[in-house]
Amino acid sequence: SAILRDYISKENLSPSAWAKKVGIPQPIITRYLSGNRGLSLATALRIQEVTNGQVRVEDLASNGNPNPPGYTLTGGFFILYPI
């Protein structure tokens, strides 16, 4: 979540304003950044797309950790949990 938080900060927006700007529900972003929820693969891919690859799916899962434990398959959904 630090990588996404840094990206949002560089955009000079709050997480809520950034979520609205890119069309991702605000609770998803704020809960992810606070460590209270993971991201669906679709949301992670959307973040990668709207940041032009500056925040990658791998970044969201690993948060800089070369051996991330953050990938989980739950109920048929690929979920990324912040480390």
Side-chain angles (χ1 to χ4, degrees):
S1 65
I3 293 168
L4 179 58
R5 186 179 308 280
D6 290 346
Y7 180 86
I8 292 170
S9 178
K10 288 177 188 173
E11 293 281 307
N12 294 316
L13 294 171
S14 69
S16 297
W18 183 81
K20 184 176 181 179
K21 175 184 171 187
V22 300
I24 298 172
Q26 174 269 331
I28 290 174
I29 296 300
T30 55
R31 289 180 188 149
Y32 173 75
L33 291 175
S34 68
N36 291 327
R37 71 165 283 155
L39 295 174
S40 69
L41 180 57
T43 299
L45 288 169
R46 174 77 177 136
I47 291 169
Q48 180 174 277
E49 176 186 354
V50 300
T51 64
N52 294 316
Q54 292 182 49
V55 179
R56 301 170 306 146
V57 170
E58 295 88 346
D59 299 329
L60 296 167
S62 69
N63 202 21
N65 181 348
N67 299 303
Y71 296 89
T72 304
L73 184 63
T74 304
F77 291 95
F78 182 75
I79 306 294
L80 304 173
Y81 288 96
I83 309 300

